[in-house]
């Protein structure tokens, strides 16, 4: 989010296709963005949430789901694809914000949403 713009869908945060939530979350981002834009132009009351917080929450749910899916695979633990994802799944921690609570971790797939 910046002066006169905000990121939606993959531009706001990436999704791993294994979770199957990319299109759904992008549509939710779009609906939230529309309300945010309408409020910014005075056409609608401001939403009871911050756009950045909604994007962050959806991505955090995605990160946890992705980690659980990768951690649950037990058929090919020695294969490079799965062993790398198992290691990454064990390192999942909640995304941290800055002191204003609006920056998202770049290494987790977020684009910074600082205003």
């Amino acid at each position: 989010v910046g002066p006169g713009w905000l990121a939606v869908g993959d531009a706001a945060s990436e999704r791993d296709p294994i979770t199957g939530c990319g299109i759904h979350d992008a549509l939710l981002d779009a609906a939230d963005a529309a309300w945010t834009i309408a409020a910014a132009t005075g056409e609608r009351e401001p939403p009871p949430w911050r756009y950045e917080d909604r994007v962050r929450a959806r991505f955090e749910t995605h990160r946890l789901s992705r980690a659980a899916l990768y951690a649950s695979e037990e058929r090919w633990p020695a294969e490079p694809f799965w062993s790398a994802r198992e290691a990454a799944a064990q390192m999942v921690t909640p995304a941290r914000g800055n002191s204003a609570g609006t920056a998202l971790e770049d290494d987790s797939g977020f684009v910074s949403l600082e205003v």
Side-chain angles (χ1 to χ4, degrees):
V1 174
W5 68 273
L6 56 83
V8 177
D10 285 350
S13 60
E14 61 82 30
R15 296 292 190 272
D16 185 324
I18 197 167
T19 64
C21 66
I23 292 172
H24 178 261
D25 286 356
L27 291 171
L28 292 173
D29 282 0
D32 290 349
W35 188 344
T36 301
I37 292 166
T41 60
E43 296 177 28
R44 187 169 185 179
E45 290 296 315
W49 36 258
R50 290 185 40 169
Y51 178 76
E52 297 91 339
D53 295 340
R54 301 272 281 210
V55 171
R56 181 191 318 234
R58 278 191 283 276
F59 190 79
E60 193 59 30
T61 298
H62 163 76
R63 281 175 28 120
L64 296 172
S65 297
R66 178 183 63 189
L69 284 166
Y70 283 134
S72 70
E73 178 51 61
E74 297 177 352
R75 293 172 289 181
W76 306 287
E79 294 297 320
F81 178 88
W82 291 107
S83 62
R85 278 142 188 88
E86 170 62 21
Q90 291 178 14
M91 296 181 345
V92 169
T93 57
R96 296 181 306 262
N98 64 10
S99 60
T102 58
L104 304 177
E105 292 179 331
D106 292 334
D107 64 346
S108 67
F110 281 119
V111 173
S112 176
L113 296 179
E114 283 188 280
V115 178

